[in-house]
């Protein structure tokens, strides 16, 4: 290669660099908006009759960090109401149909909200149960008649003591996620709630800051939904 050729290459490279400099830095990718993606028909899961949706979206199945977004339906479109950081099961998300009792994973899918509980109604229109200091339980023992349902009395050893957990903080407010309900399959998982937390992973629930949770709960009515799981599973494209 002679010096004339080298000079030509240098001149061409300099022109290209100048052109790129004139154009400025490449534009940053727009943040993912699940509400807009739903409006575009990219959601793989049903919204049913919901007027409000809660999206809990992780980066992949192994992650227990989620972005929790509330979307409100306006006509045929969905608009973002609020968004916050949250946590899912310590072992991330189970693949569809693979959630099992005690696996430390959150279920993937679209589930209704039909009831809530805690220390006092924050203003939700979901049927609400105010927990007592003791005696409020949730069945988590496969094969028992109250598996994946509320009951009162002395909590079984492997069941959830809602009253105690409320006093510890997580169940100060909670909405029941209707995974494996109302006709539960024994061993496929129980006690999946949307509750107070957000700084630590859960045993399979979705948890966010209490003030944010209270705000979302005030908008929920029976039939509204939570859609939860990895982004690549929930959305096309």
């Amino acid at each position: 290669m002679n010096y004339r050729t080298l000079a030509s290459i240098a001149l061409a490279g300099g022109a290209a660099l100048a052109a790129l400099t004139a154009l400025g830095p490449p534009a940053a990718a727009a943040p993912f908006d699940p509400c807009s993606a739903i409006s575009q028909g990219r959601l793989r899961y049903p919204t049913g009759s919901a007027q409000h949706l809660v999206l809990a979206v992780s980066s992949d199945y192994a992650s227990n960090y989620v972005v929790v977004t509330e979307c409100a339906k306006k006509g045929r479109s969905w608009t973002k109401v609020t968004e916050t950081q949250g946590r899912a099961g310590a072992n991330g998300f189970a693949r569809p149909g693979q959630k099992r009792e005690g696996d430390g994973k959150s279920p993937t899918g679209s589930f209704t909200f039909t009831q809530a509980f805690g220390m006092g109604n924050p203003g939700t229109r979901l049927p609400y149960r105010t927990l007592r200091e003791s005696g409020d339980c949730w069945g988590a023992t496969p094969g028992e008649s109250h598996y994946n349902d509320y009951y009162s009395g002395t909590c079984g050893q492997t069941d959830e003591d809602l009253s105690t957990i409320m006093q510890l903080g997580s169940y100060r407010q909670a909405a029941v996620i209707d995974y494996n309900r109302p006709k539960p399959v024994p061993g496929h998982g129980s006690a999946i709630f949307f509750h107070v937390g957000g700084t630590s992973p859960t045993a399979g629930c979705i948890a966010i800051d209490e003030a944010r949770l209270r705000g979302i709960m005030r908008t929920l009515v029976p039939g509204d939904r939570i859609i939860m799981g990895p982004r690549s599973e929930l959305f096309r494209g």
Side-chain angles (χ1 to χ4, degrees), residues 2 27 53 112 214-215 225 230:
N2 61 34
L53 294 174
T112 53
R214 285 173 170 267
R225 286 178 175 260

Side-chain angles (χ1 to χ4, degrees), residues 25-43:
F32 176 64
D33 180 353
C35 308
S36 177
I38 296 169
S39 298
Q40 295 165 10
R42 293 164 54 194
L43 182 67

Side-chain angles (χ1 to χ4, degrees), residues 99-101 140-145 147-148 179-181 183-190:
K99 166 67 184 170
R100 295 296 181 267
E101 194 72 48
T141 307
E144 293 292 334
S145 60
Y147 180 64
N148 205 15
Y179 165 74
N180 199 24
R181 287 169 50 83
K183 296 180 179 180
V185 177
H188 280 217
S190 63

Side-chain angles (χ1 to χ4, degrees), residues 4-173:
R4 183 174 296 177
T5 303
L6 286 172
S8 298
I9 292 172
L11 287 171
L17 179 60
L20 287 173
T21 303
L23 289 173
F32 176 64
D33 180 353
C35 308
S36 177
I38 296 169
S39 298
Q40 295 165 10
R42 293 164 54 194
L43 182 67
R44 301 179 193 272
Y45 285 81
T47 60
S49 62
Q51 295 300 304
H52 282 84
L53 294 174
V54 176
L55 282 296
V57 183
S58 69
S59 59
D60 53 57
Y61 279 105
S63 176
N64 59 48
Y65 288 87
V66 291
V67 176
V68 176
T69 308
E70 181 187 5
C71 307
K73 192 173 187 180
K74 295 185 177 181
R76 295 184 178 182
S77 298
W78 294 88
T79 302
K80 184 189 295 185
V81 177
T82 186
E83 187 170 275
T84 190
Q85 301 295 313
R87 301 299 287 273
N91 294 324
F93 282 89
R95 293 182 181 275
Q98 295 184 19
K99 166 67 184 170
R100 295 296 181 267
E101 194 72 48
D103 62 6
K105 296 181 180 181
S106 296
T108 296
S110 175
F111 312 105
T112 53
F113 292 113
T114 52
Q115 57 184 294
F117 60 83
M119 63 184 297
N121 193 333
T124 185
R125 285 175 284 173
L126 296 173
Y128 190 90
R129 185 185 303 277
T130 300
L131 300 180
R132 301 165 295 174
E133 291 185 2
S134 63
D136 292 306
C137 313
W138 195 275
T141 307
E144 293 292 334
S145 60
H146 45 58
Y147 180 64
N148 205 15
D149 203 359
Y150 169 87
Y151 71 97
S152 62
T154 301
C155 301
Q157 185 175 0
T158 57
D159 295 340
E160 290 213 357
D161 187 330
L162 303 182
S163 301
T164 296
I165 300 173
M166 174 189 67
Q167 294 170 35
L168 293 173
S170 295
Y171 292 170
R172 286 171 60 87
Q173 295 296 339

